[in-house]
Amino acid sequence: QVQLVESGGGLVQAGGSLRLSCAASGRTFYSYIMGWFRQAPGKEREFVASILWSGGSTYYADSVKGRFTISKDNAKNTVYLQMNSLKPEDTAVYYCAARLLSTREYNTWGQGTQVIVSP
């Protein structure tokens, strides 16, 4: 069974940085796309970034492009989200998710990690 465990959230001032980690276990992930999503209070969950496990192609939401970087460590089965130049509007619960290349929906989710950016 695939499991995803996020860590690294916290409180940071605007302009600061955080790095989120997503430790994946339960199988090999070469046929997977790993994604980061976030949900702010009162808002719907939104896509942040994704990475193809095999090959490393990345994709970003316009709102984070140039500030956030998604990466992976194959040896550690871990996906990272480096967040720089954080803004108060980045405040949200951040979720790691996984889906097979052959599917359109992310079907495995972590428990989430809270990020709070103060003005």
Side-chain angles (χ1 to χ4, degrees):
Q1 183 177 357
V2 176
Q3 284 192 314
L4 304 174
V5 179
E6 302 99 330
S7 61
L11 173 64
V12 64
Q13 287 189 328
S17 298
L18 280 175
R19 188 178 78 158
L20 306 183
S21 299
C22 171
S25 63
R27 63 166 301 138
T28 57
F29 292 90
Y30 293 113
S31 299
Y32 276 76
I33 294 176
M34 307 298 291
W36 284 98
F37 292 75
R38 66 186 181 186
Q39 187 167 21
K43 295 188 177 181
E44 292 189 355
R45 186 169 59 197
E46 65 174 358
F47 169 81
V48 175
S50 65
I51 186 167
L52 181 63
W53 195 276
S54 177
S57 297
T58 58
Y59 188 72
Y60 297 92
D62 288 342
S63 58
V64 306
K65 206 171 291 184
R67 299 188 298 123
F68 291 11
T69 302
I70 188 170
S71 63
K72 60 181 176 69
D73 185 328
N74 288 354
K76 296 182 178 179
N77 257 18
T78 299
V79 177
Y80 303 99
L81 185 68
Q82 177 67 43
M83 306 186 295
N84 298 328
S85 302
L86 282 162
K87 306 174 181 179
E89 51 263 44
D90 294 318
T91 295
V93 177
Y94 283 71
Y95 297 92
C96 178
R99 70 171 176 90
L100 282 165
L101 283 171
S102 58
T103 65
R104 304 185 71 173
E105 299 292 329
Y106 286 85
N107 59 359
T108 301
W109 295 83
Q111 83 286 354
T113 185
Q114 177 75 60
V115 171
I116 299 174
V117 184
S118 63

mmCIF file of all heavy atoms in Angstrom, residues 1-7 21-27 29 32-37 53 77-79 95-99 106-112:
data_model
loop_
_atom_site.group_PDB
_atom_site.id
_atom_site.type_symbol
_atom_site.label_atom_id
_atom_site.label_comp_id
_atom_site.label_asym_id
_atom_site.label_seq_id
_atom_site.Cartn_x
_atom_site.Cartn_y
_atom_site.Cartn_z
ATOM 1 N N GLN A 1 0.846 -1.181 0.000
ATOM 2 C CA GLN A 1 0.000 0.000 0.000
ATOM 3 C C GLN A 1 0.891 1.244 0.000
ATOM 4 O O GLN A 1 1.802 1.367 0.803
ATOM 5 C CB GLN A 1 -0.903 0.001 1.223
ATOM 6 C CG GLN A 1 -1.870 1.158 1.267
ATOM 7 C CD GLN A 1 -2.797 1.091 2.469
ATOM 8 O OE1 GLN A 1 -2.745 0.125 3.240
ATOM 9 N NE2 GLN A 1 -3.618 2.098 2.637
ATOM 10 N N VAL A 2 0.573 2.164 -0.905
ATOM 11 C CA VAL A 2 1.358 3.378 -1.007
ATOM 12 C C VAL A 2 1.035 4.296 0.162
ATOM 13 O O VAL A 2 -0.120 4.501 0.505
ATOM 14 C CB VAL A 2 1.069 4.099 -2.335
ATOM 15 C CG1 VAL A 2 1.820 5.422 -2.387
ATOM 16 C CG2 VAL A 2 1.465 3.219 -3.510
ATOM 17 N N GLN A 3 2.082 4.837 0.757
ATOM 18 C CA GLN A 3 1.908 5.815 1.844
ATOM 19 C C GLN A 3 2.752 7.040 1.553
ATOM 20 O O GLN A 3 3.892 6.923 1.083
ATOM 21 C CB GLN A 3 2.317 5.213 3.183
ATOM 22 C CG GLN A 3 1.305 4.251 3.761
ATOM 23 C CD GLN A 3 1.614 3.914 5.203
ATOM 24 O OE1 GLN A 3 2.745 3.634 5.551
ATOM 25 N NE2 GLN A 3 0.595 3.954 6.055
ATOM 26 N N LEU A 4 2.201 8.190 1.859
ATOM 27 C CA LEU A 4 2.889 9.462 1.686
ATOM 28 C C LEU A 4 2.846 10.212 3.007
ATOM 29 O O LEU A 4 1.771 10.372 3.594
ATOM 30 C CB LEU A 4 2.225 10.295 0.598
ATOM 31 C CG LEU A 4 2.082 9.641 -0.781
ATOM 32 C CD1 LEU A 4 1.259 10.540 -1.702
ATOM 33 C CD2 LEU A 4 3.436 9.344 -1.380
ATOM 34 N N VAL A 5 4.003 10.674 3.454
ATOM 35 C CA VAL A 5 4.076 11.391 4.726
ATOM 36 C C VAL A 5 4.810 12.713 4.498
ATOM 37 O O VAL A 5 5.991 12.717 4.146
ATOM 38 C CB VAL A 5 4.800 10.557 5.796
ATOM 39 C CG1 VAL A 5 4.876 11.353 7.102
ATOM 40 C CG2 VAL A 5 4.089 9.232 6.013
ATOM 41 N N GLU A 6 4.075 13.811 4.709
ATOM 42 C CA GLU A 6 4.668 15.138 4.525
ATOM 43 C C GLU A 6 5.281 15.636 5.832
ATOM 44 O O GLU A 6 4.858 15.253 6.929
ATOM 45 C CB GLU A 6 3.608 16.163 4.091
ATOM 46 C CG GLU A 6 2.868 15.840 2.815
ATOM 47 C CD GLU A 6 1.522 15.219 3.097
ATOM 48 O OE1 GLU A 6 1.388 14.537 4.139
ATOM 49 O OE2 GLU A 6 0.592 15.404 2.284
ATOM 50 N N SER A 7 6.247 16.517 5.668
ATOM 51 C CA SER A 7 6.854 17.195 6.813
ATOM 52 C C SER A 7 7.463 18.498 6.328
ATOM 53 O O SER A 7 7.593 18.717 5.117
ATOM 54 C CB SER A 7 7.919 16.319 7.479
ATOM 55 O OG SER A 7 8.957 16.029 6.566
ATOM 56 N N SER A 21 8.875 18.165 2.638
ATOM 57 C CA SER A 21 9.304 16.841 2.210
ATOM 58 C C SER A 21 8.104 15.902 2.163
ATOM 59 O O SER A 21 7.180 16.029 2.969
ATOM 60 C CB SER A 21 10.343 16.268 3.178
ATOM 61 O OG SER A 21 11.496 17.076 3.226
ATOM 62 N N CYS A 22 8.159 14.957 1.248
ATOM 63 C CA CYS A 22 7.123 13.927 1.140
ATOM 64 C C CYS A 22 7.824 12.586 1.002
ATOM 65 O O CYS A 22 8.412 12.284 -0.048
ATOM 66 C CB CYS A 22 6.232 14.192 -0.066
ATOM 67 S SG CYS A 22 5.074 12.860 -0.442
ATOM 68 N N ALA A 23 7.782 11.811 2.066
ATOM 69 C CA ALA A 23 8.402 10.493 2.049
ATOM 70 C C ALA A 23 7.390 9.480 1.540
ATOM 71 O O ALA A 23 6.303 9.332 2.102
ATOM 72 C CB ALA A 23 8.864 10.125 3.451
ATOM 73 N N ALA A 24 7.758 8.792 0.473
ATOM 74 C CA ALA A 24 6.860 7.826 -0.163
ATOM 75 C C ALA A 24 7.324 6.406 0.123
ATOM 76 O O ALA A 24 8.519 6.120 0.108
ATOM 77 C CB ALA A 24 6.831 8.075 -1.668
ATOM 78 N N SER A 25 6.380 5.538 0.367
ATOM 79 C CA SER A 25 6.724 4.141 0.640
ATOM 80 C C SER A 25 5.630 3.224 0.129
ATOM 81 O O SER A 25 4.532 3.670 -0.196
ATOM 82 C CB SER A 25 6.923 3.926 2.147
ATOM 83 O OG SER A 25 5.733 4.181 2.844
ATOM 84 N N GLY A 26 5.957 1.957 0.047
ATOM 85 C CA GLY A 26 4.955 0.967 -0.307
ATOM 86 C C GLY A 26 5.138 0.342 -1.672
ATOM 87 O O GLY A 26 4.542 -0.695 -1.953
ATOM 88 N N ARG A 27 5.914 0.988 -2.535
ATOM 89 C CA ARG A 27 6.159 0.425 -3.855
ATOM 90 C C ARG A 27 7.213 1.278 -4.550
ATOM 91 O O ARG A 27 7.661 2.272 -4.021
ATOM 92 C CB ARG A 27 4.882 0.394 -4.675
ATOM 93 C CG ARG A 27 4.281 1.768 -4.959
ATOM 94 C CD ARG A 27 3.235 1.678 -6.038
ATOM 95 N NE ARG A 27 3.825 1.157 -7.257
ATOM 96 C CZ ARG A 27 3.197 0.261 -8.009
ATOM 97 N NH1 ARG A 27 2.007 -0.188 -7.687
ATOM 98 N NH2 ARG A 27 3.763 -0.186 -9.116
ATOM 99 N N PHE A 29 8.116 3.875 -7.651
ATOM 100 C CA PHE A 29 7.305 4.967 -8.163
ATOM 101 C C PHE A 29 7.669 5.389 -9.577
ATOM 102 O O PHE A 29 7.312 6.485 -10.016
ATOM 103 C CB PHE A 29 7.398 6.165 -7.217
ATOM 104 C CG PHE A 29 6.749 5.889 -5.893
ATOM 105 C CD1 PHE A 29 7.461 5.354 -4.834
ATOM 106 C CD2 PHE A 29 5.395 6.139 -5.707
ATOM 107 C CE1 PHE A 29 6.854 5.081 -3.616
ATOM 108 C CE2 PHE A 29 4.782 5.878 -4.495
ATOM 109 C CZ PHE A 29 5.515 5.343 -3.458
ATOM 110 N N TYR A 32 4.917 6.796 -11.769
ATOM 111 C CA TYR A 32 4.060 7.735 -11.055
ATOM 112 C C TYR A 32 4.418 9.186 -11.376
ATOM 113 O O TYR A 32 5.549 9.527 -11.719
ATOM 114 C CB TYR A 32 4.195 7.525 -9.548
ATOM 115 C CG TYR A 32 3.322 6.423 -9.007
ATOM 116 C CD1 TYR A 32 3.663 5.090 -9.194
ATOM 117 C CD2 TYR A 32 2.159 6.716 -8.298
ATOM 118 C CE1 TYR A 32 2.872 4.080 -8.695
ATOM 119 C CE2 TYR A 32 1.359 5.713 -7.799
ATOM 120 C CZ TYR A 32 1.722 4.386 -7.992
ATOM 121 O OH TYR A 32 0.921 3.399 -7.496
ATOM 122 N N ILE A 33 3.423 10.021 -11.213
ATOM 123 C CA ILE A 33 3.608 11.459 -11.122
ATOM 124 C C ILE A 33 3.332 11.838 -9.679
ATOM 125 O O ILE A 33 2.309 11.433 -9.103
ATOM 126 C CB ILE A 33 2.665 12.210 -12.063
ATOM 127 C CG1 ILE A 33 3.020 11.912 -13.517
ATOM 128 C CG2 ILE A 33 2.738 13.712 -11.813
ATOM 129 C CD1 ILE A 33 2.079 12.549 -14.517
ATOM 130 N N MET A 34 4.233 12.605 -9.099
ATOM 131 C CA MET A 34 4.074 13.076 -7.728
ATOM 132 C C MET A 34 3.708 14.552 -7.771
ATOM 133 O O MET A 34 4.293 15.332 -8.511
ATOM 134 C CB MET A 34 5.369 12.889 -6.940
ATOM 135 C CG MET A 34 5.927 11.473 -6.997
ATOM 136 S SD MET A 34 4.822 10.245 -6.281
ATOM 137 C CE MET A 34 4.924 10.716 -4.557
ATOM 138 N N GLY A 35 2.741 14.912 -6.949
ATOM 139 C CA GLY A 35 2.278 16.293 -6.973
ATOM 140 C C GLY A 35 2.188 16.908 -5.598
ATOM 141 O O GLY A 35 2.090 16.204 -4.593
ATOM 142 N N TRP A 36 2.237 18.232 -5.576
ATOM 143 C CA TRP A 36 1.956 19.002 -4.371
ATOM 144 C C TRP A 36 0.689 19.832 -4.644
ATOM 145 O O TRP A 36 0.574 20.468 -5.697
ATOM 146 C CB TRP A 36 3.107 19.923 -4.011
ATOM 147 C CG TRP A 36 4.273 19.242 -3.387
ATOM 148 C CD1 TRP A 36 5.430 18.845 -4.000
ATOM 149 C CD2 TRP A 36 4.409 18.874 -2.010
ATOM 150 N NE1 TRP A 36 6.274 18.250 -3.099
ATOM 151 C CE2 TRP A 36 5.673 18.251 -1.855
ATOM 152 C CE3 TRP A 36 3.602 19.003 -0.872
ATOM 153 C CZ2 TRP A 36 6.134 17.769 -0.631
ATOM 154 C CZ3 TRP A 36 4.061 18.524 0.342
ATOM 155 C CH2 TRP A 36 5.308 17.915 0.458
ATOM 156 N N PHE A 37 -0.195 19.807 -3.682
ATOM 157 C CA PHE A 37 -1.412 20.598 -3.721
ATOM 158 C C PHE A 37 -1.488 21.397 -2.428
ATOM 159 O O PHE A 37 -0.787 21.114 -1.466
ATOM 160 C CB PHE A 37 -2.647 19.692 -3.836
ATOM 161 C CG PHE A 37 -2.766 18.978 -5.154
ATOM 162 C CD1 PHE A 37 -1.951 17.886 -5.445
ATOM 163 C CD2 PHE A 37 -3.683 19.392 -6.102
ATOM 164 C CE1 PHE A 37 -2.051 17.223 -6.657
ATOM 165 C CE2 PHE A 37 -3.791 18.735 -7.314
ATOM 166 C CZ PHE A 37 -2.973 17.643 -7.589
ATOM 167 N N TRP A 53 8.238 10.973 -11.844
ATOM 168 C CA TRP A 53 9.259 10.269 -11.088
ATOM 169 C C TRP A 53 10.370 9.743 -11.995
ATOM 170 O O TRP A 53 11.544 9.858 -11.682
ATOM 171 C CB TRP A 53 8.644 9.098 -10.316
ATOM 172 C CG TRP A 53 9.591 8.611 -9.264
ATOM 173 C CD1 TRP A 53 10.612 7.728 -9.431
ATOM 174 C CD2 TRP A 53 9.613 9.028 -7.895
ATOM 175 N NE1 TRP A 53 11.273 7.567 -8.235
ATOM 176 C CE2 TRP A 53 10.690 8.336 -7.286
ATOM 177 C CE3 TRP A 53 8.853 9.905 -7.138
ATOM 178 C CZ2 TRP A 53 10.994 8.517 -5.946
ATOM 179 C CZ3 TRP A 53 9.166 10.069 -5.809
ATOM 180 C CH2 TRP A 53 10.225 9.383 -5.221
ATOM 181 N N ASN A 77 13.396 7.970 -1.902
ATOM 182 C CA ASN A 77 11.960 7.909 -2.208
ATOM 183 C C ASN A 77 11.229 9.131 -1.639
ATOM 184 O O ASN A 77 10.149 9.002 -1.047
ATOM 185 C CB ASN A 77 11.343 6.629 -1.664
ATOM 186 C CG ASN A 77 11.118 5.599 -2.750
ATOM 187 O OD1 ASN A 77 11.684 5.666 -3.823
ATOM 188 N ND2 ASN A 77 10.276 4.614 -2.453
ATOM 189 N N THR A 78 11.835 10.274 -1.829
ATOM 190 C CA THR A 78 11.293 11.501 -1.231
ATOM 191 C C THR A 78 11.178 12.594 -2.288
ATOM 192 O O THR A 78 12.056 12.750 -3.137
ATOM 193 C CB THR A 78 12.194 11.985 -0.081
ATOM 194 O OG1 THR A 78 12.245 10.967 0.927
ATOM 195 C CG2 THR A 78 11.662 13.264 0.545
ATOM 196 N N VAL A 79 10.076 13.308 -2.209
ATOM 197 C CA VAL A 79 9.824 14.455 -3.076
ATOM 198 C C VAL A 79 9.858 15.709 -2.209
ATOM 199 O O VAL A 79 9.365 15.699 -1.078
ATOM 200 C CB VAL A 79 8.464 14.328 -3.778
ATOM 201 C CG1 VAL A 79 8.172 15.559 -4.627
ATOM 202 C CG2 VAL A 79 8.438 13.077 -4.638
ATOM 203 N N TYR A 95 -0.423 19.368 0.646
ATOM 204 C CA TYR A 95 -0.582 17.921 0.536
ATOM 205 C C TYR A 95 0.302 17.369 -0.574
ATOM 206 O O TYR A 95 0.398 17.951 -1.656
ATOM 207 C CB TYR A 95 -2.026 17.558 0.219
ATOM 208 C CG TYR A 95 -3.017 17.949 1.267
ATOM 209 C CD1 TYR A 95 -3.667 19.172 1.218
ATOM 210 C CD2 TYR A 95 -3.330 17.082 2.318
ATOM 211 C CE1 TYR A 95 -4.588 19.548 2.182
ATOM 212 C CE2 TYR A 95 -4.255 17.443 3.284
ATOM 213 C CZ TYR A 95 -4.871 18.664 3.215
ATOM 214 O OH TYR A 95 -5.788 19.020 4.169
ATOM 215 N N CYS A 96 0.889 16.243 -0.289
ATOM 216 C CA CYS A 96 1.602 15.472 -1.298
ATOM 217 C C CYS A 96 0.634 14.443 -1.862
ATOM 218 O O CYS A 96 -0.203 13.892 -1.120
ATOM 219 C CB CYS A 96 2.800 14.794 -0.640
ATOM 220 S SG CYS A 96 3.777 13.755 -1.743
ATOM 221 N N ALA A 97 0.725 14.164 -3.153
ATOM 222 C CA ALA A 97 -0.173 13.208 -3.785
ATOM 223 C C ALA A 97 0.560 12.452 -4.874
ATOM 224 O O ALA A 97 1.582 12.916 -5.397
ATOM 225 C CB ALA A 97 -1.387 13.926 -4.365
ATOM 226 N N ALA A 98 0.000 11.300 -5.230
ATOM 227 C CA ALA A 98 0.615 10.453 -6.251
ATOM 228 C C ALA A 98 -0.457 9.894 -7.164
ATOM 229 O O ALA A 98 -1.574 9.600 -6.738
ATOM 230 C CB ALA A 98 1.389 9.310 -5.593
ATOM 231 N N ARG A 99 -0.092 9.752 -8.440
ATOM 232 C CA ARG A 99 -0.971 9.074 -9.384
ATOM 233 C C ARG A 99 -0.132 8.348 -10.407
ATOM 234 O O ARG A 99 0.980 8.750 -10.729
ATOM 235 C CB ARG A 99 -1.918 10.040 -10.071
ATOM 236 C CG ARG A 99 -1.268 11.005 -11.062
ATOM 237 C CD ARG A 99 -2.361 11.753 -11.827
ATOM 238 N NE ARG A 99 -1.859 12.764 -12.736
ATOM 239 C CZ ARG A 99 -1.550 12.544 -14.007
ATOM 240 N NH1 ARG A 99 -1.677 11.323 -14.512
ATOM 241 N NH2 ARG A 99 -1.127 13.519 -14.776
ATOM 242 N N TYR A 106 -5.286 11.912 -9.000
ATOM 243 C CA TYR A 106 -4.400 11.537 -7.908
ATOM 244 C C TYR A 106 -5.212 10.708 -6.917
ATOM 245 O O TYR A 106 -6.272 11.148 -6.449
ATOM 246 C CB TYR A 106 -3.845 12.785 -7.227
ATOM 247 C CG TYR A 106 -2.795 13.491 -8.044
ATOM 248 C CD1 TYR A 106 -3.142 14.414 -9.020
ATOM 249 C CD2 TYR A 106 -1.443 13.237 -7.838
ATOM 250 C CE1 TYR A 106 -2.166 15.063 -9.767
ATOM 251 C CE2 TYR A 106 -0.456 13.878 -8.574
ATOM 252 C CZ TYR A 106 -0.831 14.784 -9.537
ATOM 253 O OH TYR A 106 0.138 15.422 -10.274
ATOM 254 N N ASN A 107 -4.756 9.521 -6.617
ATOM 255 C CA ASN A 107 -5.542 8.632 -5.769
ATOM 256 C C ASN A 107 -4.866 8.287 -4.450
ATOM 257 O O ASN A 107 -5.416 7.515 -3.663
ATOM 258 C CB ASN A 107 -5.882 7.336 -6.517
ATOM 259 C CG ASN A 107 -4.634 6.594 -6.964
ATOM 260 O OD1 ASN A 107 -3.518 7.038 -6.732
ATOM 261 N ND2 ASN A 107 -4.828 5.464 -7.603
ATOM 262 N N THR A 108 -3.696 8.840 -4.226
ATOM 263 C CA THR A 108 -3.024 8.622 -2.946
ATOM 264 C C THR A 108 -2.584 9.975 -2.408
ATOM 265 O O THR A 108 -1.949 10.750 -3.124
ATOM 266 C CB THR A 108 -1.798 7.705 -3.114
ATOM 267 O OG1 THR A 108 -2.219 6.455 -3.653
ATOM 268 C CG2 THR A 108 -1.117 7.472 -1.773
ATOM 269 N N TRP A 109 -2.932 10.224 -1.148
ATOM 270 C CA TRP A 109 -2.680 11.531 -0.541
ATOM 271 C C TRP A 109 -2.015 11.373 0.817
ATOM 272 O O TRP A 109 -2.283 10.408 1.550
ATOM 273 C CB TRP A 109 -3.996 12.284 -0.368
ATOM 274 C CG TRP A 109 -4.653 12.620 -1.650
ATOM 275 C CD1 TRP A 109 -5.462 11.812 -2.405
ATOM 276 C CD2 TRP A 109 -4.553 13.852 -2.357
ATOM 277 N NE1 TRP A 109 -5.864 12.470 -3.534
ATOM 278 C CE2 TRP A 109 -5.326 13.730 -3.533
ATOM 279 C CE3 TRP A 109 -3.881 15.061 -2.126
ATOM 280 C CZ2 TRP A 109 -5.442 14.755 -4.467
ATOM 281 C CZ3 TRP A 109 -3.997 16.089 -3.043
ATOM 282 C CH2 TRP A 109 -4.766 15.930 -4.201
ATOM 283 N N GLY A 110 -1.183 12.342 1.142
ATOM 284 C CA GLY A 110 -0.639 12.409 2.484
ATOM 285 C C GLY A 110 -1.610 13.115 3.415
ATOM 286 O O GLY A 110 -2.691 13.534 3.001
ATOM 287 N N GLN A 111 -1.178 13.271 4.652
ATOM 288 C CA GLN A 111 -2.054 13.859 5.666
ATOM 289 C C GLN A 111 -2.021 15.377 5.663
ATOM 290 O O GLN A 111 -2.877 16.028 6.259
ATOM 291 C CB GLN A 111 -1.667 13.332 7.058
ATOM 292 C CG GLN A 111 -0.510 14.059 7.730
ATOM 293 C CD GLN A 111 0.852 13.733 7.123
ATOM 294 O OE1 GLN A 111 0.978 12.861 6.253
ATOM 295 N NE2 GLN A 111 1.884 14.415 7.606
ATOM 296 N N GLY A 112 -1.045 15.944 5.000
ATOM 297 C CA GLY A 112 -0.926 17.396 4.905
ATOM 298 C C GLY A 112 -0.001 17.986 5.956
ATOM 299 O O GLY A 112 0.195 17.415 7.033
#
